Amino acid sequence: MRSNDTLLDLLLETQALDRVPRFGYLIRGVDNPESVTEHSWHVLFLVWVLADHLPDVDRARALDLAMVHDLAELRLGDLARTASRYFPPGAKQQAESAAMTEILAPLPGKNHKLLTEYQAGHSREARLVKACDKLQLMIKVAVYESWGATGMTRFWDNPDNFFDGGFDLVRQLYEELKARRDASDLNLA
Amino acid sequence: MRSNDTLLDLLLETQALDRVPRFGYLIRGVDNPESVTEHSWHVLFLVWVLADHLPDVDRARALDLAMVHDLAELRLGDLARTASRYFPPGAKQQAESAAMTEILAPLPGKNHKLLTEYQAGHSREARLVKACDKLQLMIKVAVYESWGATGMTRFWDNPDNFFDGGFDLVRQLYEELKARRDASDLNLA
Amino acid sequence: MRSNDTLLDLLLETQALDRVPRFGYLIRGVDNPESVTEHSWHVLFLVWVLADHLPDVDRARALDLAMVHDLAELRLGDLARTASRYFPPGAKQQAESAAMTEILAPLPGKNHKLLTEYQAGHSREARLVKACDKLQLMIKVAVYESWGATGMTRFWDNPDNFFDGGFDLVRQLYEELKARRDASDLNLA
Amino acid sequence: MRSNDTLLDLLLETQALDRVPRFGYLIRGVDNPESVTEHSWHVLFLVWVLADHLPDVDRARALDLAMVHDLAELRLGDLARTASRYFPPGAKQQAESAAMTEILAPLPGKNHKLLTEYQAGHSREARLVKACDKLQLMIKVAVYESWGATGMTRFWDNPDNFFDGGFDLVRQLYEELKARRDASDLNLA
Amino acid sequence: MRSNDTLLDLLLETQALDRVPRFGYLIRGVDNPESVTEHSWHVLFLVWVLADHLPDVDRARALDLAMVHDLAELRLGDLARTASRYFPPGAKQQAESAAMTEILAPLPGKNHKLLTEYQAGHSREARLVKACDKLQLMIKVAVYESWGATGMTRFWDNPDNFFDGGFDLVRQLYEELKARRDASDLNLA
Amino acid sequence: MRSNDTLLDLLLETQALDRVPRFGYLIRGVDNPESVTEHSWHVLFLVWVLADHLPDVDRARALDLAMVHDLAELRLGDLARTASRYFPPGAKQQAESAAMTEILAPLPGKNHKLLTEYQAGHSREARLVKACDKLQLMIKVAVYESWGATGMTRFWDNPDNFFDGGFDLVRQLYEELKARRDASDLNLA
């Protein structure tokens, strides 16, 4: 592997993101689970939809962060959150940042700093994208459960999975989701 | 099926977009083909990357169009382009527009008009998204072929698959792609 | 796409029917769902088995109708029943009929009129095949549920899914099926 | 396992035929290969189409044989032809016949004798169904190869795969198929 | 098919064992079920782990038996236990033995006698491997059920699935497994 | 995640190894690629077969190393070799070692030192297992290519993929494999 030279090299490499599965679902028995590409679209869509209600958030910047937040997984795979603890502190984020630099090398206007801002989680936009990343995780778990998957019940007990970034709107969506799940009715057609 | 009431209804419904396969690849023997969700992410990424080089294009608007351009397939499936001719003229676009109205009902700030602008194909932004939709199609075909799929050779003979929307940058990417494909080397790692 | 010229063209085209998934199951989370080819075999088998008990039904004609009743999906995909309402009235049936004409073009003795008779649903044979199409739908749902799929509970509430075509035998099978399902025991090995 | 008691027991059991893969393709690397259900539909379709040209063949009887010719695989799996030689002579056919008796027990008008007639291969109808079984095998191989599968080239060298049952029409179809395959162009859309 | 000539022929043939699914899970709706290769690794691992606690067992011999105990399925597929009764007594074991002879032909130091010892089930090592084969079956069923599969409840009622080979350690593991399953909590992360 | 407490905890956790795909094949378009479980069986089989010809190798020890050499991937996934360079030197091996300690915690007689010996690669047994790991990689690539996969041609140019551990027998197998591959005939049935 190496840095991408041209724009076409980058576009060709990203096609394989469809083949990187989301490890947390895969390892708990979900068949044909969400790919990292799919997860990324859902997070983008969520940011796009919520930003209309959050005038203090720079929507374009939030979309920028969401666009690349998991792109490093093209080269690293989707490493489970719990696996980070086996590595030295910060090693995973640095690995992602290094991979991102090589992946996005042909894009002068964008670089791994988008990822660094997301990882730092300080800006409003980074907090919103992180919150959407977690909210999307639980929405997907809820839908998989409505389809019959039963391997992820412990996800509901992990407070890390309910990060709202300080946004009431997100918190309300988590609450509505949990209420429907507890009632065993997501109201899907 | 009905109109979505709340934002959560919409978010829950969109999860199933992962299960709508791109019919053109599926029917020609690609296993585990791109889903509509994946296709949508790739088109968004392409628009996001190219817009930096196209100062006359309203990037935010283009991303808006790309975000929803295939969302109606949640309810209609991915109807093959060639199948449109079996329906009355305009019936497919109207069906997509009607489905979009119901899907996006909880979003006051966005509606099926985004889709109508995309379908009309007049604005720069609509032309760019349509060009990215086609360029992404052929990039994916090229990668599938590099992996071993041989059922889509006729795609390269169809001029409809090489719509550049009037953008030189897109035309150049098609030419570079075709050159690499003809040399049987996409330069993938 | 075009009309098939020779018999071999037709035989080659039909192979891809295995890759057209039944959309209603797919979109509700069934993995590796029934293909349209599989659905067609099950409907044929059901007609074949029931016709022995129905002396007023022309068995050969019923098998003819069952053989082709979903063949148009080779070109149109399996469009969800609920999606028909987004199209002008009759547009879907006309599209299927037009596609059938082209698919079966090499068969002088058979043509899209078989499909038209099925769609009209007047003859005993058409009613039997339509009833078998629905009974097979619910038998498949019951088996998927016995395997663990839980996304199709609303199917049991939709009276359209229990069309018996006026045949007591079919009605009795629906009742027996529902009774076993309610007892959570299909009596499978 | 046991004999099926009622008609519904039989109908429920046959649903799993979709999960019995055709072993010859599976073991040579075809992903998501034809199921036995799909193979059975294609053989039925082929018989249905060819019988119109063969007035000496009892079409209804041929369809009867085709309907059940692989049903025993519900309990035995799809045992490779070459594996038969590891068993005593006739053991495989007897096993299939015994399994069929139990599967079809609820159908008084039909029984394992349909299978026995097919296995014996003497009647015109049995020969036609056997020929269609082989022709369908090679048509499927040709389509898989056109999609990119390369593990089945030796199938074309095995004369057992080109049984025409004494029917010129079938022989002509084999020849046309081989000609197109040799020209690397099946003329698929 | 024929005897393997060289070691490389054998190594190449065994690759396809990944494509032989375990029929009992497949036919009851488990998607992407364990392959025979996977089952074999799990049985080896189980033998490897338990042998440390069983000083009377020749660990190396037990591993030898486990290594090949399902290798014949490369040519025969995974024939369901219940299907054996359709064949003459001993026919299945003889078929497996004959297939094994051909598969392992290039290995002078090992041959089908390893399989014969396993089938006979008299030696301690054979009883341990058979017990591990069954224990692994039920451990896998328990995990599939924790993931959402519900088609295998009858497995728990079949005493044949709880063969402990006379080893208390195995019996204790079955009891612990059943206790956790009855409590609907396997204590998986 | 945590240390496994009891033997059953360990046995239950290992079941999910079937769902960890081998990343190098997955990302290059192989569908339904080898799982880490399958890879592990093939390496064990290879060691088992070759050890008979290598009297200086402690076969039992080699099998011990092979049994666990990829077990850490249960928690880390199958991290691509090329991805190691994004992490500090030695970080990946330490992560694997730490994960192994927790996974194998209930086995007093075995521990992560088996992995450390394998990683160090000094002993004959470690070199044999590493050589088998690489030889198996290329045997699998060759078979996937014979089935139609074309995304891994560069594997043949990477000398790291042809590590023979100093064993002539392994070197000869590589040469025979390459010769057959160059002749486009693996001599598979």
Side-chain angles (χ1 to χ4, degrees):
Chain A
M1 287 242 139
R2 61 219 183 299
S3 269
N4 283 314
D5 283 331
T6 71
L7 179 52
L8 187 60
D9 287 320
L10 166 60
L11 297 174
L12 287 166
E13 182 178 9
T14 51
Q15 300 307 315
L17 197 64
D18 303 356
R19 294 296 164 107
V20 184
R22 294 264 290 167
F23 195 71
Y25 303 140
L26 184 69
I27 208 82
R28 288 176 183 82
V30 177
D31 291 292
N32 189 24
E34 208 183 38
S35 61
V36 174
T37 319
E38 288 165 339
H39 166 77
S40 294
W41 184 87
H42 289 293
V43 173
L44 271 161
F45 185 73
L46 196 40
V47 168
W48 184 74
V49 157
L50 296 188
D52 283 353
H53 299 268
L54 304 170
D56 289 347
V57 170
D58 177 341
R59 196 173 83 131
R61 185 65 179 178
L63 290 176
D64 283 351
L65 299 184
M67 192 72 68
V68 300
H69 84 288
D70 277 340
L71 213 46
E73 294 181 9
L74 261 172
R75 302 198 177 187
L76 300 178
D78 175 33
L79 196 63
R81 310 286 154 256
T82 52
S84 302
R85 66 190 181 87
Y86 294 118
F87 291 91
K92 182 166 176 274
Q93 285 91 329
Q94 279 172 28
E96 290 175 341
S97 198
M100 280 294 282
T101 302
E102 294 188 353
I103 291 170
L104 297 183
L107 306 183
K110 310 182 202 286
N111 57 28
H112 68 284
K113 285 192 184 148
L114 283 172
L115 182 63
T116 315
E117 180 180 341
Y118 172 70
Q119 292 169 336
H122 297 315
S123 64
R124 270 203 193 84
E125 292 71 30
R127 283 186 286 116
L128 178 63
V129 177
K130 168 63 67 174
C132 289
D133 177 75
K134 292 299 180 185
L135 176 58
Q136 165 56 24
L137 172 81
M138 296 314 297
I139 286 175
K140 208 49 173 265
V141 167
V143 171
Y144 284 147
E145 290 184 336
S146 79
W147 290 351
T150 55
M152 294 165 296
T153 43
R154 294 188 177 201
F155 277 53
W156 297 92
D157 303 325
N158 183 353
D160 289 349
N161 291 336
F162 295 90
F163 175 75
D164 66 16
F167 299 99
D168 281 345
L169 178 51
V170 176
R171 185 180 49 77
Q172 287 156 16
L173 283 165
Y174 278 125
E175 286 170 6
E176 192 184 348
L177 181 71
K178 275 188 279 190
R180 291 199 199 187
R181 187 229 178 208
D182 291 343
S184 297
D185 186 5
L186 297 188
N187 196 28
L188 283 170
Chain B
M1 286 242 141
R2 64 227 182 291
S3 268
N4 282 315
D5 283 329
T6 71
L7 179 52
L8 187 59
D9 286 321
L10 166 61
L11 297 174
L12 287 165
E13 181 178 10
T14 52
Q15 299 308 315
L17 197 64
D18 304 354
R19 295 295 165 107
V20 184
R22 294 262 291 167
F23 195 71
Y25 304 140
L26 184 69
I27 208 80
R28 289 176 183 83
V30 177
D31 291 293
N32 189 22
E34 206 184 41
S35 61
V36 175
T37 318
E38 288 164 339
H39 166 76
S40 294
W41 183 86
H42 289 293
V43 173
L44 271 163
F45 185 72
L46 196 40
V47 168
W48 183 73
V49 158
L50 297 187
D52 283 352
H53 300 268
L54 304 170
D56 289 347
V57 170
D58 177 341
R59 195 174 84 132
R61 185 67 179 177
L63 290 176
D64 283 352
L65 299 184
M67 192 72 69
V68 300
H69 84 288
D70 276 340
L71 213 45
E73 293 180 9
L74 261 172
R75 302 198 177 188
L76 300 178
D78 176 33
L79 197 62
R81 310 284 154 256
T82 51
S84 301
R85 67 190 181 87
Y86 294 119
F87 290 92
K92 181 166 177 276
Q93 285 91 330
Q94 279 172 27
E96 290 174 342
S97 199
M100 279 293 283
T101 302
E102 293 188 354
I103 291 170
L104 298 183
L107 307 183
K110 311 181 202 287
N111 58 28
H112 68 283
K113 285 188 185 152
L114 284 171
L115 183 63
T116 315
E117 180 182 341
Y118 171 70
Q119 292 168 336
H122 298 315
S123 65
R124 271 203 194 87
E125 292 72 30
R127 282 186 286 117
L128 177 63
V129 177
K130 168 62 69 178
C132 289
D133 178 74
K134 291 299 181 186
L135 176 58
Q136 165 56 25
L137 172 81
M138 295 315 297
I139 287 174
K140 208 48 172 265
V141 168
V143 171
Y144 284 148
E145 289 183 338
S146 80
W147 290 350
T150 56
M152 293 164 296
T153 44
R154 293 188 178 201
F155 277 52
W156 297 93
D157 304 326
N158 183 353
D160 289 349
N161 290 336
F162 296 89
F163 175 74
D164 65 15
F167 298 98
D168 281 346
L169 177 53
V170 176
R171 186 179 48 77
Q172 287 157 14
L173 284 164
Y174 279 125
E175 285 169 7
E176 192 185 348
L177 182 72
K178 275 188 279 190
R180 292 198 198 187
R181 188 228 179 207
D182 290 344
S184 296
D185 186 5
L186 297 188
N187 196 29
L188 283 169
Chain C
M1 287 244 143
R2 63 226 182 293
S3 269
N4 282 314
D5 283 329
T6 71
L7 178 53
L8 187 60
D9 287 321
L10 166 61
L11 297 174
L12 287 165
E13 181 178 11
T14 51
Q15 299 308 314
L17 197 64
D18 303 355
R19 296 296 166 107
V20 185
R22 294 264 289 167
F23 195 71
Y25 304 141
L26 184 69
I27 208 81
R28 289 175 183 85
V30 176
D31 291 292
N32 190 23
E34 207 184 40
S35 62
V36 174
T37 318
E38 287 164 341
H39 166 77
S40 294
W41 184 86
H42 289 293
V43 173
L44 271 162
F45 185 72
L46 197 40
V47 169
W48 183 74
V49 157
L50 296 187
D52 283 353
H53 300 268
L54 303 169
D56 289 347
V57 169
D58 177 342
R59 196 174 83 134
R61 186 66 179 176
L63 290 176
D64 283 352
L65 298 183
M67 192 72 68
V68 300
H69 83 288
D70 277 338
L71 213 45
E73 294 181 8
L74 262 173
R75 303 197 175 188
L76 301 178
D78 176 32
L79 196 63
R81 311 283 155 258
T82 52
S84 302
R85 67 190 180 87
Y86 294 119
F87 290 92
K92 181 166 177 275
Q93 285 91 330
Q94 280 173 26
E96 290 175 340
S97 198
M100 279 293 283
T101 302
E102 293 188 353
I103 292 170
L104 297 183
L107 306 183
K110 310 181 202 286
N111 57 30
H112 69 281
K113 285 188 184 152
L114 283 171
L115 182 64
T116 316
E117 180 181 341
Y118 171 70
Q119 291 168 335
H122 298 314
S123 64
R124 271 203 194 86
E125 292 71 30
R127 283 186 286 116
L128 178 62
V129 176
K130 168 64 67 178
C132 289
D133 178 74
K134 291 299 181 185
L135 176 57
Q136 165 56 24
L137 172 81
M138 296 314 298
I139 286 175
K140 208 47 172 267
V141 167
V143 170
Y144 284 147
E145 289 183 337
S146 79
W147 290 350
T150 55
M152 293 164 297
T153 44
R154 294 188 178 203
F155 277 52
W156 296 93
D157 304 326
N158 182 353
D160 289 349
N161 291 335
F162 296 89
F163 175 74
D164 65 16
F167 299 98
D168 281 345
L169 177 52
V170 175
R171 186 179 49 76
Q172 288 157 14
L173 283 164
Y174 278 125
E175 285 169 8
E176 192 184 349
L177 182 71
K178 275 189 278 190
R180 291 199 199 187
R181 188 228 179 210
D182 290 344
S184 297
D185 186 5
L186 296 189
N187 196 29
L188 284 168
Chain D
M1 287 243 140
R2 62 222 183 294
S3 268
N4 283 316
D5 283 330
T6 71
L7 179 53
L8 186 60
D9 286 322
L10 165 61
L11 297 174
L12 287 165
E13 181 178 10
T14 51
Q15 300 307 314
L17 198 63
D18 304 354
R19 295 294 165 107
V20 185
R22 293 264 288 167
F23 195 71
Y25 304 140
L26 184 70
I27 208 81
R28 290 177 182 82
V30 177
D31 290 291
N32 188 23
E34 207 184 41
S35 61
V36 174
T37 318
E38 288 164 338
H39 166 77
S40 293
W41 183 87
H42 289 293
V43 173
L44 271 162
F45 185 72
L46 196 39
V47 168
W48 184 74
V49 158
L50 297 187
D52 283 353
H53 300 268
L54 304 169
D56 290 347
V57 170
D58 177 343
R59 197 174 81 130
R61 186 68 179 175
L63 290 175
D64 283 351
L65 299 183
M67 192 72 67
V68 300
H69 83 288
D70 277 339
L71 213 45
E73 294 182 8
L74 261 172
R75 302 197 177 189
L76 300 178
D78 176 34
L79 197 63
R81 310 285 154 254
T82 51
S84 302
R85 65 190 181 86
Y86 295 119
F87 289 92
K92 180 167 177 274
Q93 285 91 329
Q94 279 173 26
E96 290 175 341
S97 198
M100 280 294 283
T101 301
E102 294 187 354
I103 293 170
L104 297 184
L107 306 182
K110 310 181 202 288
N111 57 30
H112 70 282
K113 285 191 183 147
L114 283 171
L115 182 63
T116 315
E117 180 180 341
Y118 172 69
Q119 291 169 337
H122 298 314
S123 64
R124 272 202 192 85
E125 292 71 30
R127 284 187 285 115
L128 178 63
V129 177
K130 169 61 69 176
C132 289
D133 178 74
K134 291 300 180 184
L135 176 59
Q136 165 56 25
L137 173 81
M138 296 314 297
I139 288 175
K140 207 50 173 267
V141 168
V143 170
Y144 284 148
E145 290 183 336
S146 79
W147 290 350
T150 55
M152 293 165 296
T153 44
R154 294 188 178 202
F155 277 52
W156 297 93
D157 305 325
N158 182 353
D160 289 351
N161 290 336
F162 295 90
F163 175 74
D164 66 15
F167 298 98
D168 282 345
L169 178 53
V170 176
R171 187 179 49 75
Q172 287 157 14
L173 283 164
Y174 278 126
E175 286 170 7
E176 193 185 348
L177 182 71
K178 275 189 280 190
R180 292 198 199 187
R181 188 229 179 208
D182 290 344
S184 297
D185 185 5
L186 297 189
N187 195 29
L188 283 169
Chain E
M1 287 243 142
R2 63 228 182 290
S3 269
N4 283 315
D5 284 328
T6 71
L7 179 52
L8 187 60
D9 287 320
L10 166 60
L11 297 173
L12 288 165
E13 181 178 11
T14 51
Q15 300 308 314
L17 197 62
D18 304 355
R19 295 295 164 109
V20 185
R22 294 264 289 168
F23 195 72
Y25 305 140
L26 183 70
I27 209 82
R28 288 176 183 84
V30 176
D31 290 293
N32 189 23
E34 205 183 43
S35 61
V36 174
T37 319
E38 288 165 339
H39 167 76
S40 294
W41 184 87
H42 289 292
V43 172
L44 271 162
F45 185 73
L46 196 39
V47 168
W48 184 74
V49 157
L50 296 188
D52 283 352
H53 300 268
L54 304 169
D56 289 346
V57 170
D58 178 340
R59 197 174 82 135
R61 186 67 180 176
L63 289 175
D64 283 351
L65 298 184
M67 192 72 68
V68 300
H69 84 286
D70 275 340
L71 212 46
E73 293 181 7
L74 261 172
R75 302 195 177 190
L76 299 180
D78 176 33
L79 196 63
R81 312 283 153 257
T82 52
S84 302
R85 66 191 181 84
Y86 294 118
F87 290 91
K92 181 166 177 276
Q93 285 92 330
Q94 279 173 25
E96 290 175 341
S97 198
M100 280 294 284
T101 301
E102 294 189 353
I103 292 169
L104 297 184
L107 306 181
K110 310 180 202 290
N111 57 31
H112 69 284
K113 287 190 182 148
L114 283 171
L115 182 64
T116 315
E117 180 181 341
Y118 172 71
Q119 292 169 335
H122 297 315
S123 65
R124 271 202 193 86
E125 292 72 29
R127 283 187 285 115
L128 178 62
V129 177
K130 169 63 67 176
C132 289
D133 179 75
K134 291 299 181 184
L135 177 58
Q136 165 56 24
L137 173 81
M138 296 316 296
I139 287 175
K140 208 48 172 268
V141 167
V143 170
Y144 284 147
E145 290 184 336
S146 80
W147 290 350
T150 55
M152 293 165 296
T153 44
R154 295 190 177 199
F155 277 53
W156 297 92
D157 304 325
N158 183 353
D160 289 349
N161 291 336
F162 295 90
F163 175 74
D164 66 15
F167 299 99
D168 282 345
L169 178 52
V170 175
R171 185 178 50 75
Q172 288 157 14
L173 283 163
Y174 279 125
E175 286 169 5
E176 193 185 347
L177 181 71
K178 274 188 279 189
R180 292 198 198 187
R181 186 226 180 211
D182 290 344
S184 297
D185 186 6
L186 297 188
N187 196 29
L188 284 169
Chain F
M1 286 244 140
R2 62 222 184 293
S3 267
N4 282 314
D5 283 330
T6 72
L7 179 53
L8 187 60
D9 287 321
L10 166 60
L11 297 173
L12 288 166
E13 181 178 12
T14 52
Q15 299 308 313
L17 198 63
D18 304 354
R19 294 296 165 106
V20 184
R22 294 264 288 168
F23 194 72
Y25 304 141
L26 184 70
I27 209 82
R28 289 176 182 82
V30 177
D31 291 292
N32 189 23
E34 205 183 43
S35 62
V36 174
T37 319
E38 287 164 340
H39 166 76
S40 293
W41 183 86
H42 289 294
V43 173
L44 271 162
F45 185 72
L46 196 40
V47 168
W48 184 73
V49 158
L50 296 187
D52 283 353
H53 299 268
L54 304 169
D56 289 345
V57 170
D58 178 341
R59 195 173 83 132
R61 185 68 179 175
L63 289 175
D64 283 352
L65 299 183
M67 193 71 69
V68 300
H69 84 287
D70 277 340
L71 213 44
E73 294 180 8
L74 261 172
R75 302 195 178 190
L76 300 179
D78 176 33
L79 196 62
R81 310 284 153 259
T82 51
S84 301
R85 66 190 181 85
Y86 295 119
F87 289 90
K92 180 167 179 273
Q93 285 91 331
Q94 280 173 28
E96 290 176 340
S97 199
M100 279 294 284
T101 301
E102 293 189 354
I103 292 170
L104 297 183
L107 307 183
K110 310 180 202 291
N111 57 29
H112 68 283
K113 286 191 184 148
L114 283 171
L115 182 64
T116 316
E117 180 181 342
Y118 171 70
Q119 291 169 337
H122 298 314
S123 64
R124 271 202 192 85
E125 293 70 31
R127 283 186 286 116
L128 178 63
V129 177
K130 169 63 68 179
C132 289
D133 178 76
K134 291 300 181 184
L135 176 58
Q136 165 56 24
L137 172 82
M138 295 316 297
I139 286 175
K140 209 47 173 268
V141 167
V143 171
Y144 284 147
E145 290 183 336
S146 79
W147 290 350
T150 56
M152 292 165 296
T153 45
R154 296 189 176 201
F155 277 53
W156 297 94
D157 304 326
N158 182 353
D160 289 349
N161 290 337
F162 295 89
F163 176 73
D164 66 15
F167 299 98
D168 282 345
L169 178 52
V170 175
R171 184 178 51 74
Q172 287 157 14
L173 283 164
Y174 279 125
E175 287 169 5
E176 192 184 347
L177 182 71
K178 275 189 279 190
R180 291 198 199 188
R181 188 229 179 207
D182 290 344
S184 296
D185 186 5
L186 297 188
N187 196 29
L188 283 170

